[in-house]
Amino acid sequence: MTRKESKEKRISDILDAAIPEFVEKGYEGASMDSIAARAGLTKGGLYYHVKSKDDILVMANDRFMEPIIRFMEEAMNAASAVVGLAGYIRNYLTYWTGHPTELSFVFLTMTKTISDPGLRGHFRGYTGQMASFFEGLYRKGIESGEFRPMETRAAALSLMAALDGIAGYLVVDDDLDLENTIRELCETFITVNKE
């Protein structure tokens, strides 16, 4: 194993240990000692790779963005904006409903970020990236004649909020059906130009 692979493996082990620690105990209850023990490291070994619990929050959320970025790339490269947006909605909701622990961690991170201005800068970048992605898809659809003209920024922010909110509800409410929810969101947010 090379030094770089070893460092990447250690970071991965730390994140694998920290995520359940945070989900089980909350941000304040999670301890670096416990995370180190779960990761099979000494506390000094843990601090060699990360500076704080905040660093772990950011690194874990970056990890969780990896599949989302793939979904975004697939959507932008789809044959049409309609196909891309519908595919993204499906992929996003299917992913999060299949990863409830990770989703709990993301919500915990948002709660911590709301109360900690130091963390906000990192997530402001996420918001901008997501809004730009959705705006780009909506503009692509308008330019190709697939979508009716609309305020793309408002549509992007509305879809972001709907997806993030409904993902949590899909996990906790057995009365919500994933396929029906995907269909309903597509009908609401993919406003096809019928001219």
Side-chain angles (χ1 to χ4, degrees):
M1 190 180 309
T2 68
R3 183 177 174 96
K4 182 178 180 185
E5 289 172 330
S6 178
K7 181 176 181 171
E8 289 174 2
K9 171 82 168 86
R10 285 289 185 210
I11 295 294
S12 182
D13 291 346
I14 291 167
L15 296 178
D16 290 343
I19 292 163
E21 175 78 8
F22 280 114
V23 169
E24 292 166 15
K25 299 178 181 175
Y27 182 86
E28 299 305 327
S31 77
M32 294 297 270
D33 287 327
S34 187
I35 292 168
R38 285 181 183 225
L41 296 169
T42 64
K43 192 171 180 181
L46 176 64
Y47 278 108
Y48 176 79
H49 295 288
V50 298
K51 295 176 189 154
S52 66
K53 291 193 287 186
D54 288 355
D55 279 355
I56 295 171
L57 285 179
V58 170
M59 290 168 34
N61 279 282
D62 287 346
R63 176 200 268 186
F64 297 152
M65 276 301 292
E66 290 171 6
I68 306 307
I69 289 169
R70 282 195 308 276
F71 302 153
M72 292 164 64
E73 290 168 353
E74 290 171 15
M76 290 305 288
N77 293 322
S80 73
V82 169
V83 169
L85 194 53
Y88 180 85
I89 291 169
R90 172 171 295 287
N91 288 336
Y92 189 86
L93 293 179
T94 302
Y95 175 77
W96 285 119
T97 56
H99 296 86
T101 300
E102 291 85 347
L103 184 62
S104 295
F105 184 86
V106 170
F107 284 140
L108 178 140
T109 302
M110 290 305 297
T111 301
K112 173 65 178 158
T113 302
I114 289 167
S115 66
D116 185 343
L119 285 172
R120 291 183 192 158
H122 180 77
F123 295 100
R124 196 171 7 255
Y126 164 80
T127 305
Q129 181 181 16
M130 295 304 295
S132 293
F133 160 69
F134 286 122
E135 283 185 89
L137 269 179
Y138 279 125
R139 278 194 303 273
K140 179 180 175 182
I142 292 166
E143 290 166 6
S144 70
E146 292 179 273
F147 295 160
R148 64 169 175 75
M150 68 180 83
E151 174 50 53
T152 57
R153 177 82 174 164
L157 293 175
S158 298
L159 180 53
M160 283 172 55
L163 287 172
D164 286 345
I166 199 65
Y169 289 121
L170 282 165
V171 170
V172 300
D173 188 341
D174 291 336
D175 291 335
L176 288 174
D177 177 74
L178 177 61
E179 289 302 318
N180 284 337
T181 302
I182 290 169
R183 181 184 46 75
E184 291 165 351
L185 285 174
C186 286
E187 288 172 0
T188 301
F189 288 99
I190 302 176
T191 52
V192 177
N193 189 357
K194 297 182 180 181
E195 292 178 6

